Amino acid sequence: MGCLYCFLGFLLLAARLPLDAAKRVHDVLSNERPSGYMREHKQLNGWSSDENDWNEKLYPVWKRGDSRWQNSWKGGRVQALLTSDAPALVGSTITFAVNLVFPRCQQEGASGNIVYEKNFRNDTGPSPDPYVYNWTAWTEDGDWGNGTRQGHHGKPFPHPRKWNFVFVFHTLGQYFQKLGQCSVRVSINTANVTPGPQIMEVTVYRRYRRVYVPIAKVKDVYVVTDQIPVFVTMSQKNNRNSSDETFLKDLPITFDVLIHDPSHFLNESAIYYKWNFGDNTGLFVSNNHTLNHTYVLNGTFSLNLTVQATVPGPCPSPSPRPPKTTASLDSPVPAGDNALEPREIPDKNCHINRYGYFKATITIVEGILEVNIIQVTDVLMPVPQPDNPLVDFVVNCQGSTPTEVCTVISDPTCQVTQNTVCDPVNMDLGDMCLLTVRRAFGGSGTYCMNLTLGDDASLALTSTLVSIPGRDPDSLLRMANGTLVFFVGCMAIFVTVIALLVYKKHKEYKPIENSTGIVVRGKGLNVFPNCAKMLFPGNQEEDPLLKNQPGIL
């Protein structure tokens, strides 16, 4: 009798061996799955448990470092790139994309076949066969029978006439297979996903007659969060560099909130933005994602933002009703008033509040607040210069003192730059911040000029259109002749005066008598100082007309 029991036990053990030896999906797709991993997550819609058996005959399994990987693809190895639009808010949809990168000079054709690029040459010359893999020829040969194949756990595959790759996605103890070409996308809803970092693994197989061959494996970390992913961009007029979080006093800063929601999960949600700028101005609440704020003091401030959104969520568990008070303990409890009976929930569409947070430390400094061109004048030269006329721009500014001035002269549309000049401002501009900028223009016409004043923290800009009138060649000749006659006249007077002085020095002294001729000579001599002033300008700093003139750059 004991021998009979031993024999039956041996039969049972032998019958169980194939079950224990069979590979399961998680054995193939992941070597890092902890014990009890599946029990930590709820079922994903349309996905299967990785406890299912794996059909190793249809889908061979190769370990990392197996030499067969080197021959899994003609011409080299295929790389798989896995990306996602994470982070994802719990309840939203996250999308994964896989793109295959083929070896050099290979690409996927319009029909899905893998072909060589045009003008491809291998070591022996041009390739006589344009195909790397001609899937179409295999299908036309009737290699796939009635159009379906049994999957790794018994599910039928669609006819792979156009889909040449199988992508097997694996995460959260579950897997999902997708047929496709060199690029596929898969989306999952995260309502049943535990918040935190998760791992998505993808194994890619290619067709080879009646089986598939593994060609690439890839994995990536994605994040599911119960906080709204929030980013804030900060910008300000005249701010030289917003990325250093340094801004200017007395100018508004524009704060723009960006919520990462690629699946548009929050489109129908009421969203509120609560701002605290850290400058004792109080709490600002708005339903607009943009807001302007002006700091009126220099210093460092802590910015805090809280974003609140009402989103669909799980309904709370029903609570038991309290027992009704009765006059007698012996009175029966009416039907429907059982203390353990769950409450009826009138509205199954429950909502919860989700929050997102943003913090930043910003620095407020002095800067150039505004710049204006208040006067434009032509520079008059003793000798005409029709090719490069000079123009003076009188500029004033508000705020801190600039350290540099730059001008960009362009065509009338301000698109084509013709000349760029920058000069340091190393003079004292006084409280009025007034200076003159002199620039040369390339002949007559209309120009666009951008003028900027800058310092370490700010850059203020203003623009103007400048019209340089053309000049008649005859008028230029007349101006030149007039200037020449005037110059010759001054020189003649100068020579005459010198001759009189020399004559007077060597002539015997005689008392000068009153006569009308002296007055005439006096009037004639009065012309000399003006001519001499033009020929020998000397120092004119005492000229009262120059006391209020700005410095020229």
Side-chain angles (χ1 to χ4, degrees):
M1 195 65 168
C3 293
L4 179 61
Y5 287 151
C6 291
F7 180 72
L8 292 176
F10 177 77
L11 291 178
L12 292 175
L13 181 62
R16 184 174 176 82
L17 281 176
L19 296 177
D20 293 338
K23 288 186 179 293
R24 300 186 184 276
V25 175
H26 61 74
D27 297 327
V28 176
L29 300 182
S30 176
N31 294 323
E32 303 176 2
R33 173 179 165 274
S35 177
Y37 189 76
M38 177 59 189
R39 291 192 295 271
E40 300 177 3
H41 305 279
K42 297 181 181 179
Q43 180 69 36
L44 297 176
N45 185 26
W47 289 55
S48 303
S49 170
D50 63 2
E51 297 291 337
N52 292 333
D53 294 338
W54 182 269
N55 188 342
E56 193 170 358
K57 292 183 178 180
L58 185 61
Y59 294 92
V61 178
W62 298 343
K63 298 294 184 181
R64 181 174 299 183
D66 194 313
S67 60
R68 287 176 292 182
W69 284 105
Q70 302 298 328
N71 300 319
S72 63
W73 190 270
K74 293 180 182 178
R77 290 290 302 271
V78 175
Q79 290 185 336
L81 303 181
L82 173 62
T83 59
S84 72
D85 55 11
L89 181 64
V90 172
S92 67
T93 299
I94 183 171
T95 299
F96 299 88
V98 180
N99 293 281
L100 299 181
V101 180
F102 301 114
R104 184 178 62 91
C105 298
Q106 296 182 14
Q107 62 183 4
E108 187 175 59
S111 61
N113 296 316
I114 309 302
V115 298
Y116 291 104
E117 295 179 357
K118 292 182 177 180
N119 302 323
F120 167 71
R121 298 176 62 90
N122 55 23
D123 296 337
T124 60
S127 176
D129 186 3
Y131 293 100
V132 183
Y133 292 103
N134 190 351
W135 319 114
T136 306
W138 294 358
T139 305
E140 291 174 352
D141 291 342
D143 187 64
W144 290 89
N146 59 4
T148 61
R149 296 290 294 169
Q150 290 298 312
H152 37 80
H153 65 291
K155 286 186 177 180
F157 289 169
H159 194 294
R161 181 179 297 273
K162 192 175 181 180
W163 315 116
N164 308 312
F165 301 99
V166 176
F167 299 81
V168 184
F169 293 80
H170 181 232
T171 187
L172 306 174
Q174 302 164 68
Y175 72 96
F176 179 83
Q177 73 180 27
K178 187 177 182 67
L179 302 180
Q181 294 182 280
C182 65
S183 178
V184 297
R185 298 166 67 91
V186 168
S187 298
I188 61 174
N189 187 275
T190 61
N192 293 334
V193 179
T194 302
Q198 309 293 348
I199 296 178
M200 174 65 77
E201 299 169 293
V202 181
T203 304
V204 186
Y205 287 81
R206 70 169 174 86
R207 289 173 50 189
Y208 181 69
R209 301 298 178 181
R210 291 182 175 271
V211 297
Y212 284 90
V213 176
I215 60 172
K217 297 186 72 173
V218 65
K219 64 181 179 180
D220 193 18
V221 176
Y222 65 98
V223 176
V224 177
T225 176
D226 56 1
Q227 293 187 2
I228 302 173
V230 174
F231 308 90
V232 177
T233 62
M234 296 173 280
S235 59
Q236 185 185 44
K237 177 185 176 183
N238 296 353
N239 189 12
R240 191 153 199 158
N241 182 14
S242 298
S243 62
D244 62 359
E245 296 185 346
T246 298
F247 299 91
L248 310 180
K249 187 186 76 170
D250 295 329
L251 279 181
I253 305 173
T254 299
F255 299 89
D256 190 4
V257 183
L258 305 175
I259 295 178
H260 182 72
D261 184 28
S263 65
H264 309 293
F265 177 62
L266 300 176
N267 273 13
E268 304 300 325
S269 302
I271 303 177
Y272 296 95
Y273 306 87
K274 302 176 182 180
W275 297 89
N276 187 339
F277 294 100
D279 57 353
N280 298 322
T281 55
L283 182 67
F284 295 85
V285 180
S286 171
N287 60 359
N288 195 330
H289 64 90
T290 60
L291 186 70
N292 292 336
H293 183 74
T294 302
Y295 287 88
V296 296
L297 296 174
N298 293 341
T300 302
F301 302 90
S302 296
L303 169 69
N304 288 275
L305 167 67
T306 301
V307 179
Q308 175 185 323
T310 303
V311 300
C315 294
S317 301
S319 58
R321 292 184 179 182
K324 285 190 175 182
T325 304
T326 59
S328 174
L329 294 177
D330 298 332
S331 301
V333 178
D337 289 337
N338 192 330
L340 299 180
E341 182 176 314
R343 288 184 179 179
E344 183 179 349
I345 302 176
D347 185 5
K348 295 295 184 180
N349 297 322
C350 299
H351 293 81
I352 59 175
N353 288 329
R354 295 291 187 188
Y355 298 90
Y357 305 94
F358 176 83
K359 295 182 179 181
T361 301
I362 61 177
T363 303
I364 305 300
V365 298
E366 298 281 350
I368 304 172
L369 306 181
E370 188 177 357
V371 58
N372 294 291
I373 298 175
I374 60 176
Q375 185 178 351
V376 180
T377 57
D378 294 333
V379 179
L380 299 178
M381 303 296 292
V383 178
Q385 297 182 355
D387 295 334
N388 294 286
L390 299 178
V391 178
D392 281 348
F393 301 88
V394 180
V395 180
N396 73 341
C397 58
Q398 298 179 16
S400 61
T401 301
T403 58
E404 66 175 356
V405 55
C406 292
T407 57
V408 178
I409 299 176
S410 311
D411 68 320
T413 64
C414 302
Q415 300 296 321
V416 182
T417 301
Q418 299 179 0
N419 186 26
T420 301
V421 178
C422 290
D423 294 312
V425 179
N426 50 15
M427 61 183 67
D428 184 11
L429 302 182
D431 296 335
M432 297 182 60
C433 186
L434 194 67
L435 73 157
T436 299
V437 179
R438 176 171 293 177
R439 290 294 182 259
F441 291 82
S444 60
T446 301
Y447 300 87
C448 169
M449 192 188 78
N450 293 327
L451 186 145
T452 56
L453 299 181
D455 59 10
D456 292 339
S458 57
L459 193 67
L461 168 69
T462 187
S463 300
T464 186
L465 286 177
V466 181
S467 179
I468 305 297
R471 294 185 177 179
D472 184 10
D474 294 336
S475 63
L476 294 176
L477 180 61
R478 288 193 297 270
M479 291 177 58
N481 293 336
T483 303
L484 179 61
V485 170
F486 180 75
F487 179 77
V488 172
C490 289
M491 288 299 297
I493 295 174
F494 178 74
V495 171
T496 303
V497 171
I498 294 298
L500 289 175
L501 291 176
V502 173
Y503 173 77
K504 183 177 180 180
K505 180 178 179 180
H506 294 282
K507 185 179 179 182
E508 181 182 355
Y509 170 77
K510 290 184 179 181
I512 300 177
E513 298 179 356
N514 292 335
S515 65
T516 58
I518 297 176
V519 176
V520 174
R521 287 195 298 271
K523 289 183 180 179
L525 291 175
N526 283 340
V527 179
F528 168 71
N530 293 330
C531 294
K533 201 171 195 179
M534 293 187 61
L535 296 173
F536 308 102
N539 188 355
Q540 301 182 21
E541 291 184 355
E542 300 300 326
D543 192 333
L545 296 177
L546 295 178
K547 290 184 178 180
N548 295 326
Q549 289 285 340
I552 298 178
L553 295 177

